[in-house]
Amino acid sequence: MLLSPELLMPMGPPPQAVLDQRWLWQLLIFILGITFGLRLVGLDIAGALLSGLMLCFAVVMTRDGMQEMAKYSLVYAVLSGLNFFFDILPLITELGGRVTRTTEPGRTATDGDGIRQTSYTLTTKTIPFFDGPQGLIYNVQSLAMIMSPVCMALGVYLAITAHNEIQRHTEPFWNNGDMENPFGAGPGRNAGMGVGQGGLGLGDGPRSRGQGPMPPRPMGGTTFGAADSSLGRETFERFTGQGHKLGD
């Protein structure tokens, strides 16, 4: 690649404002660890994998003086936002009571054509969000449903705050001078690059009309700049004789 991520991202510790939020990151790691354990106890394997992934990301970002924060903060914000969206929807729908549906087969009857028909009974039951008689697993699942969106919302806030703070303290890769001349040929380097006021050349600026044409450039390791101007002065001399008009 022409531009590696190391060139576009600042290396080293983040700004002091991000370091001051280290205790919030440690709190996030602690809550994520609890959520991960609750989902394992509640037999929510998919949710436990997601919580474990976010927990590992947070640990990687906060180790070694938070030097990896600039590399993963934006990714962490996106992942936390997606997890928050998919966790808050079932919480909103079931916060007033978790709905359980059970299907039980009824009687089976055979008509005159020999076709057997079986009836089923669908039972819908609304249970409070926390209910002691439902057992440990049910209540652990309810607690995990509350803690997971809280973790993801905190993760979004911390990651976006860190990303914005890092970007605010990062110098742009191209400054104004480099955007106009990205190869470093500034206004004082026209002699080396040969950018004159009259156009693009390989000398050191515009030549007067009496100096004659530009001398030929030798191929090979020639140094452009002031040396070429002295070469032109030594090779050509200005005409000093008397002028004559040609007749018809």
Side-chain angles (χ1 to χ4, degrees), residues 68-165:
E68 302 291 335
M69 185 64 63
K71 188 182 299 184
Y72 299 113
S73 58
L74 184 59
V75 178
Y76 196 85
V78 173
L79 293 178
S80 297
L82 291 175
N83 287 331
F84 174 80
F85 176 77
F86 289 110
D87 285 340
I88 199 65
L89 291 181
L91 178 62
I92 293 175
T93 57
E94 298 185 0
L95 193 59
R98 295 175 60 180
V99 179
T100 59
R101 295 178 177 86
T102 57
T103 302
E104 299 177 355
R107 63 185 186 87
T108 301
T110 305
D111 58 7
D113 296 332
I115 300 175
R116 186 172 63 180
Q117 297 179 350
T118 303
S119 60
Y120 293 88
T121 302
L122 176 64
T123 303
T124 302
K125 183 179 181 181
T126 302
I127 306 174
F129 196 74
F130 289 100
D131 190 15
Q134 296 298 320
L136 177 64
I137 295 180
Y138 177 88
N139 291 277
V140 165
Q141 290 176 349
S142 299
L143 182 59
M145 290 177 63
I146 294 178
M147 294 192 63
S148 182
V150 173
C151 294
M152 300 308 166
L154 181 59
V156 170
Y157 165 73
L158 291 177
I160 291 180
T161 302
H163 178 73
N164 292 336
E165 193 69 23

Side-chain angles (χ1 to χ4, degrees), residues 211-225:
Q211 276 187 296
M214 292 290 294
R217 303 287 178 177
M219 302 299 292
T222 304
T223 302
F224 298 110

